[in-house]
Each structure stands twice: as C-alpha cells, then as structure tokens.
Amino acid sequence: MGVHVAHTAGLTGDELREVRALLDEAFDGDFGEEDFEHALGGMHVLVRDAGGALVAHGSVVQRRVVHGGRALRTGYVEAVAVRARARRRGLGGQVMAELERIVARAYVLGALSASQDGAALYLGRGWAAWPGRVGALSPDGPVRLPEEEGSTYVWVPSGGILLDPAGRLDFDWRDGDVL
C-alpha cells in the first residue's frame, strides 16, 4: 500500500476524479457536489493498493469553531472512505492517523461529523461525541443544529486546549450541509 499526502492544489485533475469516484462508490451515491466541495482546499491522504488503484481517502480542511467566546482554528475531517473490497484491513485507521498528525501540528482542535457506520472508527481512535449543543454562525446569526448533536465528534491534540463539555460549538457557515 502506498500513502500519498498532498494539498488539494497538489492533486491532478485525474486524482481528483479518482477521489470523487471512490467517494461516490463508498457512500453508495449519497455524496453530493457540496459534500465534495467541503472536502477540498486542505490536505488529502490517498492510499493506493499494490496495483496503483485508489482504495482509501480522507481530507482535513480548516474551519473556525466558536467555543467559550474564542474562535478556534479547527482541522475538520472530511470524506473519509475506503473502497468496499478493501475494508476491514486497517486502511481507515491509516488514513485517520495521517489526518490526526496534520491536525496535531496545524490546529488546536479536530472535528468531524460521523455516520453511525463510521462512529466506531473515530471512537476507537480517541475521538469523542460532543456532549453539548452544536450550532452554526449563519448569515442570519447563530443557529442551533440539533440534528448534528450526537454525530459531531471532537479530538484535542495532546497538550491542547480544554473544552467545556457543557458549552456550545458554533461552526463557520458553508453552503449545503453546514457540518
């Protein structure tokens, strides 16, 4: 298996099309254009099998999260996927290890939104479901996102900040699904 880490700007058009095809397959067609847009503009981890085929991907992009009156530079994990034929081989963990390395070196907080299927991967790596409220800083002001509560996970790098679990996390706004 070969692991390649690159910024979106360092990926070719063919590589981006490969990533998009992998995400479409892994999410059974439930990965929209806005979802793909959210995964761009940051660092990508691509894992290829011995034949050169892309079998796993994940990215981390910068977001701002307001918590306790502070805007936190947050590495937001996006588009973590493993091709069906390559699952249960530790590739998701390999992708996450690289993404966590990036988060630990560049951000004060890691965050992501997990599906029920993906939650076990993140929990097993020390990510925790956020116990407090979740919101967004919308064009009309702060709004609560109760549908994101319970599926928003955070990870604080070693020696990082202390979060108030009773506090609210307000994410910066973006088109489509905010989280």
Side-chain angles (χ1 to χ4, degrees), residues 4-140:
H4 178 64
V5 178
H7 190 275
T8 301
L11 298 178
T12 67
D14 285 343
E15 287 172 316
L16 289 171
R17 284 185 285 281
E18 280 183 291
V19 168
R20 179 60 207 225
L22 169 67
L23 295 169
D24 285 340
E25 177 189 316
F27 287 95
D28 296 322
D30 190 25
F31 198 86
E33 282 303 315
E34 288 172 335
D35 298 320
F36 188 58
E37 172 69 24
H38 295 168
L40 303 177
M43 299 297 293
H44 298 260
V45 176
L46 291 85
V47 179
R48 296 184 179 281
D49 66 15
L54 183 64
V55 291
H57 170 270
S59 66
V60 62
V61 298
Q62 181 170 306
R63 307 265 319 262
R64 290 289 178 175
V65 175
V66 175
H67 177 72
R70 294 179 52 206
L72 305 175
R73 189 179 65 254
T74 302
Y76 199 85
V77 173
E78 294 279 4
V80 175
V82 176
R83 198 170 297 281
R85 66 177 168 75
R87 290 184 182 147
R88 305 291 179 244
R89 296 184 199 167
L91 298 178
Q94 190 174 2
V95 166
M96 286 303 298
E98 285 296 317
L99 295 175
E100 289 162 358
R101 183 185 61 78
I102 294 165
V103 169
R105 294 186 56 117
Y107 302 100
V108 299
L109 176 67
L112 58 84
S113 181
S115 66
Q116 286 183 335
D117 290 340
L121 169 65
Y122 309 119
L123 288 169
R125 300 193 57 79
W127 291 70
W130 182 250
R133 292 190 172 181
V134 174
L137 303 172
S138 82
D140 297 323

